[in-house]
Amino acid sequence: MKKSIISFVLTIVILLGLLGATTPIKAEAASATKNIVIVIDPGHGGTGERNLGAQYNGFSEKEMTMQVANAMKEELEKYDNVSVYLTRTTDTFISLEDRAVTAQNLNADFMFSIHFNASLEHDFYGSEIWTSAFGSFYKKGAEFGQIMSDELGNLGLYQKGVKTKIGKTGKDYYGIIRQSVARDIPCVIIEHAYLDHGYDLPFLNTAGFLKTLGVTDATAVAKYFKLTSKTTGADYSNYSFKTVSIPKTRLSQDFTEPDYCKVSCVSYDSNSRNALIEMSTKDSQSPVIYFSYSYDGGKTYSILQMWDRTKETQSFNVNIPKGVVSPTIICRAYNNYELYKESEPVLVTGYTN
Ligand SMILES: [Zn+2]
């Protein structure tokens, strides 16, 4: 009896000893932070027109993406437990598939494709972020994209938002996203600014701005992955961001213009030659982000103005130059997929030439 009690106690002691020996190892394993692998993709590269990216106002996209990517890498490497790689380090052509294969071989947690924008009619400005339209790839891209957009917005760049685009084959339209997702790697395209619009040029012409963009991108990544840095003391371990739920079906782009666009002429002031216009618009699928106006019945339009997306109705002055006969206002409301709804024409009441 006594023997069995002694052996029972011994067993407990041995077990406790074993637990004691194993517990610290377990705790260490739990506290060891996983190393995050980040792949940065400097968009474009190489010779031949289609590899240069956008070329406007003395800016070359393929060179700018490299500068931003290098600055982003340098900044990200200040954080703990992160490995950072680029898909290209020289000005050479690399296919989108090969870029994704690089990320796959590195076991990347996320691929960030760095770009600058331009539009056919040179009318759009600001930043936009493209993400996959599918499941958890959408969720990750949309969550990161919102952090990224907020950071770029803090620099003063106008924010067009986080978007998806499906191609004809029913997959993600953009190759780098499609190729990454096919390899189980979340990927976003960061279109920082437009090289062909006067509104973004002052930013791009600011000395050191590309480095600032790289640091900004890195900060967004650090916040998303809740990184800490022994080097700088930055600590985003408690950073919280708005979570996005995994969509049940793929999230197609918005193919339709805003629901409506209505204008009225409130008053006309003959001293300032200003017509006070009230405009109402709404898009139930996407935010309305720009508007433009015409005072000559649609012959000419203003440059795109920023629409306060928190409001459905806004008022603004339209200056009518001398010599316009029967000034007639038409407004256009643009959603962030650049589709617009045009208002009915409205005569400026009380106008005398
Ligand atoms: Zn590009």
Side-chain angles (χ1 to χ4, degrees):
M1 188 68 183
K2 261 187 188 169
K3 257 191 183 170
S4 70
I5 286 173
I6 287 164
S7 72
F8 176 74
V9 169
L10 268 175
T11 311
I12 295 291
V13 167
I14 288 163
L15 274 173
L16 281 172
L18 278 172
L19 278 172
T22 55
T23 306
I25 295 165
K26 263 189 183 170
E28 209 175 321
S31 68
T33 314
K34 179 184 171 282
N35 190 62
I36 304 288
V37 179
I38 298 299
V39 175
I40 305 168
D41 174 44
H44 312 281
T47 52
E49 210 181 326
R50 57 192 296 264
N51 299 319
L52 306 177
Q55 306 281 315
Y56 291 99
N57 300 306
F59 295 115
S60 173
E61 187 184 356
K62 66 168 184 173
E63 288 165 20
M64 296 167 79
T65 58
M66 184 56 87
Q67 286 184 54
V68 172
N70 280 327
M72 183 180 178
K73 181 174 189 283
E74 191 186 325
E75 180 69 14
L76 259 182
E77 284 175 336
K78 293 176 185 170
Y79 288 88
D80 313 323
N81 303 310
V82 60
S83 307
V84 191
Y85 304 91
L86 302 189
T87 55
R88 69 176 175 97
T89 53
T90 54
D91 182 12
T92 43
F93 169 79
I94 299 168
S95 74
L96 299 177
E97 186 176 1
D98 286 347
R99 292 168 198 244
V101 166
T102 298
Q104 182 180 29
N105 292 339
L106 291 163
N107 215 356
D109 289 291
F110 219 118
M111 167 89 107
F112 299 96
S113 193
I114 306 300
H115 286 261
F116 288 87
N117 227 334
S119 70
L120 227 51
E121 305 288 329
H122 316 302
D123 44 2
F124 303 113
Y125 52 85
S127 321
E128 62 189 10
I129 292 117
W130 294 97
T131 180
S132 170
F134 297 90
S136 64
F137 300 105
Y138 170 77
K139 174 190 165 69
K140 289 171 184 174
E143 286 174 346
F144 167 78
Q146 196 48 59
I147 300 170
M148 185 73 255
S149 183
D150 290 347
E151 294 291 321
L152 290 169
N154 289 341
L155 299 179
L157 290 162
Y158 194 58
Q159 295 306 300
K160 299 175 70 189
V162 184
K163 303 191 277 181
T164 61
K165 190 173 181 179
I166 303 273
K168 284 196 186 89
T169 59
K171 294 178 179 167
D172 286 309
Y173 172 83
Y174 290 108
I176 193 69
I177 295 177
R178 189 174 63 249
Q179 295 287 353
S180 297
V181 164
R183 290 163 177 80
D184 208 27
I185 302 162
C187 172
V188 290
I189 295 173
I190 306 165
E191 294 279 4
H192 292 82
Y194 283 78
L195 304 186
D196 62 342
H197 197 286
Y199 191 82
D200 286 350
L201 290 183
F203 293 98
L204 298 166
N205 281 319
T206 304
F209 190 68
L210 296 182
K211 183 169 166 70
T212 300
L213 287 179
V215 171
T216 303
D217 294 354
T219 304
V221 173
K223 286 181 173 179
Y224 176 75
F225 282 105
K226 302 178 190 285
L227 300 180
T228 56
S229 170
K230 289 189 193 78
T231 314
T232 65
D235 183 356
Y236 296 117
S237 56
N238 291 318
Y239 183 79
S240 69
F241 52 83
K242 206 173 146 226
T243 55
V244 173
S245 50
I246 296 175
K248 288 185 180 70
T249 53
R250 67 173 191 199
L251 287 180
S252 169
Q253 61 268 45
D254 189 351
F255 291 106
T256 55
E257 66 271 21
D259 306 343
Y260 69 88
C261 177
K262 283 181 192 153
V263 294
S264 61
C265 180
V266 179
S267 60
Y268 176 74
D269 177 52
S270 53
N271 291 320
S272 63
R273 308 190 64 85
N274 281 340
L276 181 62
I277 303 299
E278 192 178 85
M279 172 175 159
S280 297
T281 180
K282 194 194 167 183
D283 189 324
S284 39
Q285 289 147 327
S286 317
V288 172
I289 63 165
Y290 304 116
F291 72 101
S292 66
Y293 57 80
S294 168
Y295 53 73
D296 54 15
K299 286 192 203 79
T300 60
Y301 280 88
S302 70
I303 65 161
L304 295 186
Q305 316 283 310
M306 295 173 192
W307 179 260
D308 180 350
R309 59 196 79 177
T310 64
K311 291 178 183 151
E312 272 183 45
T313 301
Q314 260 173 251
S315 302
F316 48 90
N317 280 314
V318 173
N319 191 263
I320 316 283
K322 276 187 180 154
V324 178
V325 182
S326 321
T328 305
I329 303 292
I330 299 178
C331 291
R332 288 172 172 175
Y334 289 75
N335 65 23
N336 73 337
Y337 282 90
E338 298 156 4
L339 300 167
Y340 66 84
K341 185 82 166 182
E342 202 167 278
S343 74
E344 294 292 321
V346 167
L347 215 65
V348 175
T349 45
Y351 174 83
T352 44
N353 203 0

